[in-house]
Amino acid sequence: MAPDGNMRQQATKMTTTAIKWADSMRTGRISPSEVWLAITSTIWKTLTYPLSATNLSKKQCEEIMAPILMYGLPALGICRYFPRKLVFAPIKYMGLGIQHLYTTQEIARLKDIIIHTYKATTTGNLYRTSLELLFLEVGMGTNLAAIDFDSTSHLATDSLVKSTWQFLNVN
């Protein structure tokens, strides 16, 4: 992570990894079931591993996933321009069941916040302090769900807690 907290270098590294994976897969001839297995067991695990320590924007996550979907969907026999809402929808709702990288990142962070604050670890104390600072900056009480993100987020310093607040507000 850069000293100012930006994730450009990490996003670039993950995008490069996705492009290399797609190029490697494109040069081989494998069946659609093997493509599905390769997506879910190789590149997906590679991309999700660092997510709990990152703060990538939704746009950055979509740029990272683009090469995988542009290769993977046609290799599965699906149009590469298939609506993304259906690509990321669960199978039980007739989607493809591919998880969005941004959603996975934010869920991993929520799990970390809950686990670490419950166990009172050093990381949990940092999350708690960051949340308290967010409350001070926006000048509101202790119920984050009651604070309107759109009208008060500009008052808060960018942080993992602010990103999680934005995710919970939008979704």
Side-chain angles (χ1 to χ4, degrees):
M1 183 185 325
D4 67 352
N6 78 65
M7 292 283 160
R8 286 187 294 271
Q9 186 175 2
Q10 180 67 29
T12 302
K13 183 179 185 322
M14 291 172 78
T15 303
T16 303
T17 302
I19 291 169
K20 285 181 183 177
W21 178 86
D23 286 341
S24 297
M25 294 300 291
R26 194 176 6 259
T27 59
R29 297 200 44 87
I30 59 177
S31 69
S33 61
E34 292 170 329
V35 171
W36 182 258
L37 185 62
I39 289 171
T40 57
S41 67
T42 60
I43 191 62
W44 184 250
K45 298 299 181 187
T46 301
L47 295 178
T48 57
Y49 180 75
L51 286 182
S52 60
T54 61
N55 193 17
L56 301 169
S57 68
K58 190 171 188 175
K59 182 180 178 201
Q60 287 173 316
C61 290
E62 288 169 354
E63 289 169 359
I64 292 166
M65 293 182 68
I68 297 164
L69 295 177
M70 294 306 276
Y71 162 76
L73 292 178
L76 291 169
I78 300 167
C79 176
R80 71 182 54 184
Y81 301 107
F82 195 65
R84 294 302 185 245
K85 289 190 178 196
L86 292 175
V87 169
F88 300 123
I91 293 171
K92 70 179 183 179
Y93 296 120
M94 307 305 277
L96 297 181
I98 298 173
Q99 296 176 335
H100 197 288
L101 204 57
Y102 178 72
T103 305
T104 304
Q105 169 190 256
E106 294 300 329
I107 290 171
R109 184 171 311 120
L110 277 169
K111 286 170 53 177
D112 277 354
I113 289 171
I114 292 168
I115 290 168
H116 287 286
T117 53
Y118 173 74
K119 292 184 176 181
T121 64
T122 303
T123 303
N125 291 335
L126 291 171
Y127 277 128
R128 186 177 293 111
T129 302
S130 182
L131 183 61
E132 289 172 2
L133 287 172
L134 182 113
F135 288 139
L136 288 172
E137 289 174 335
V138 298
M140 298 291 196
T142 58
N143 185 0
L144 195 59
I147 304 171
D148 181 43
F149 180 83
D150 295 326
S151 63
T152 56
S153 64
H154 66 281
L155 300 171
T157 305
D158 289 338
S159 67
L160 295 177
V161 172
K162 180 181 176 184
S163 178
T164 302
W165 177 31
Q166 179 181 15
F167 173 74
L168 293 173
N169 185 60
V170 172
N171 293 310

